Amino acid sequence: MLFHVLFSLISVTIVNSQRVPTIVNITPDQIKDIGGAVELSCSALYSQGYGVLWKKLEREGSQESILLSSDTTPIIRDSRYSLRYDSASTTYTLQIKDIQESDAGVYKCQILISQNSQVSREVRLQVFSPPTFYDNSSSTVVVSERNAVHLKCYAGGVPRPQISWKRENNAILPTGGPVYKGNVLKINNIRREDRGTYYCTADNKVGKNIKRSIAVEVEFAPIVHATKPMVWQALNYDAELECRVEAYPIPQITWIKDGIQLASNNHYKTNHFPSIDEFTDTMLRVVTTEKGQYGTYVCKAVNKLGDASAYIQFFESENPVCPPACGSAHIKTISSLIFIFCILIQRLPLLS
């Protein structure tokens, strides 16, 4: 009799120990692209009569969490979330569609045994997202020549994007070579030749890489070249004196003769023609040259970093120089030929 009682007690103990709720399987850690879908499954034994919950931790290692479902009932009010229950395998499957970056984190399947007792297992969801540039990346940079400049490019995304730098038209970078890898491109002693457009590219193999352009303007003092240091022209004909100026910021350009700054009037016409790459072509037109207009002319350019000048000697010639006297000389030549032709026509009867 005693044997039967002991056997019954042992049997009850074994049965009760076997029926403690437990989680036998949970989905392994997941990696999904943003916008995709995922299913997180949790299979439990002996969970009838106990609460089976899906939660999302506020952050990894935190005790705070968001309740997503209880048994077979979804709790969170988000149409992207749903719950499927399979009674045959006692599996609770949490489904998430149109995955967002905020869905990444740790999800916990939990069985509440008592107020102070529970069993749980966790699964991590990592969401791959394409790169996006941060606002602290450089845009337009203005720096004076021979100074240092740091071009910055920062991007977020999962996995962390790799940053690479190139110049427009694959020109050689100031650091050497056509490509530089890293968030910060350091140019320690920038030159005016380094100005132009730089591109930083962020790539994490999720979707397409992204590119950001950064305009680098290098301020430098003017450099002035006379197109023709010596110019000849005959009296009463127009002459053109030209200079090319390279500078940034755009300089103030003046023409000077005998210490006097020239302005457009009946004797002179000035024009400036800005072009790309901080070049400006400037021209002084001497109108109907007079004796007093021959001599030395100065083309001067000034900006906040300095000034520079070029000198042009203007000499008198016996014959008109083409250009710019081509038009007038050509008309006079035709007139002379017509005059000679008319004289010959008149004399033809006499010759016969």
Side-chain angles (χ1 to χ4, degrees):
M1 181 68 177
L2 180 60
F3 174 79
H4 290 292
V5 172
L6 290 173
F7 181 79
S8 299
L9 289 173
I10 292 171
S11 299
V12 169
T13 302
I14 292 173
V15 169
N16 286 340
S17 65
Q18 290 178 337
R19 291 192 176 278
V20 173
T22 184
I23 297 172
V24 295
N25 186 51
I26 193 167
T27 301
D29 291 349
Q30 297 289 297
I31 299 175
K32 297 292 181 180
D33 288 341
I34 195 167
V38 68
E39 290 190 348
L40 307 178
S41 297
C42 177
S43 299
L45 281 181
Y46 314 122
S47 61
Q48 290 82 357
Y50 298 94
V52 180
L53 312 175
W54 269 111
K55 295 180 176 181
K56 181 178 185 294
L57 302 187
E58 292 282 2
R59 57 187 179 278
E60 190 163 355
S62 171
Q63 296 300 316
E64 298 179 0
S65 60
I66 301 170
L67 182 61
L68 304 176
S69 67
S70 177
D71 289 326
T72 60
T73 305
I75 301 299
I76 187 171
R77 294 185 176 181
D78 188 331
S79 60
R80 297 183 303 111
Y81 286 74
S82 61
L83 188 73
R84 187 178 71 247
Y85 174 66
D86 182 6
S87 59
S89 60
T90 323
T91 299
Y92 301 80
T93 301
L94 180 68
Q95 300 169 302
I96 310 172
K97 61 182 181 180
D98 189 21
I99 295 173
Q100 304 300 310
E101 195 170 352
S102 58
D103 294 325
V106 178
Y107 290 77
K108 178 185 287 188
C109 177
Q110 185 179 78
I111 302 176
L112 298 176
I113 299 174
S114 67
Q115 186 174 358
N116 299 317
S117 179
Q118 63 181 32
V119 291
S120 64
R121 290 180 67 176
E122 296 177 349
V123 53
R124 286 167 178 80
L125 172 61
Q126 188 176 6
V127 179
F128 276 3
S129 58
T132 55
F133 286 118
Y134 291 146
D135 292 338
N136 58 346
S137 299
S138 302
S139 51
T140 298
V141 175
V142 180
V143 60
S144 296
E145 194 172 29
R146 294 184 295 277
N147 284 345
V149 63
H150 294 173
L151 304 182
K152 301 175 182 179
C153 192
Y154 299 103
V158 181
R160 179 178 294 179
Q162 298 295 314
I163 303 296
S164 61
W165 294 87
K166 286 186 177 183
R167 286 187 71 178
E168 192 171 18
N169 299 322
N170 290 320
I172 299 299
L173 291 165
T175 53
V179 180
Y180 176 83
K181 295 184 181 296
N183 292 98
V184 181
L185 178 64
K186 299 178 181 179
I187 307 173
N188 294 320
N189 184 24
I190 198 165
R191 306 166 302 163
R192 61 180 178 272
E193 293 85 0
D194 299 326
R195 66 188 184 270
T197 303
Y198 290 71
Y199 297 99
C200 78
T201 301
D203 186 15
N204 67 352
K205 308 304 180 184
V206 180
K208 295 182 178 179
N209 59 33
I210 56 174
K211 185 181 291 186
R212 182 185 185 95
S213 63
I214 300 170
V216 176
E217 298 286 358
V218 180
E219 296 181 325
F220 58 97
I223 302 169
V224 183
H225 297 284
T227 306
K228 293 181 180 179
M230 292 182 287
V231 176
W232 283 265
Q233 189 56 282
L235 282 170
N236 300 319
Y237 288 89
D238 290 359
E240 292 177 350
L241 286 59
E242 298 179 44
C243 284
R244 167 158 280 200
V245 179
E246 186 181 8
Y248 188 82
I250 296 174
Q252 179 183 1
I253 300 172
T254 54
W255 285 89
I256 301 168
K257 183 179 186 297
D258 300 330
I260 300 173
Q261 182 174 323
L262 304 177
S264 292
N265 52 35
N266 292 333
H267 301 286
Y268 296 102
K269 302 292 181 184
T270 59
N271 287 291
H272 308 308
F273 307 98
S275 61
I276 59 173
D277 295 332
E278 288 78 46
F279 284 99
T280 300
D281 292 320
T282 179
M283 183 184 72
L284 175 72
R285 190 177 188 93
V286 183
V287 181
T288 315
T289 303
E290 300 174 357
K291 275 285 186 182
Q293 291 176 297
Y294 295 113
T296 302
Y297 288 79
V298 181
C299 172
K300 184 176 182 180
V302 180
N303 69 9
K304 68 178 184 178
L305 297 178
D307 63 83
S309 300
Y311 296 84
I312 299 176
Q313 301 295 330
F314 183 32
F315 300 104
E316 181 180 0
S317 64
E318 292 184 4
N319 299 313
V321 176
C322 173
C326 303
S328 300
H330 182 63
I331 291 172
K332 290 183 178 181
T333 301
I334 292 176
S335 299
S336 300
L337 290 173
I338 293 174
F339 177 76
I340 293 171
F341 180 75
C342 292
I343 296 297
L344 290 173
I345 292 296
Q346 291 175 354
R347 291 184 177 181
L348 281 175
L350 297 176
L351 294 174
S352 59

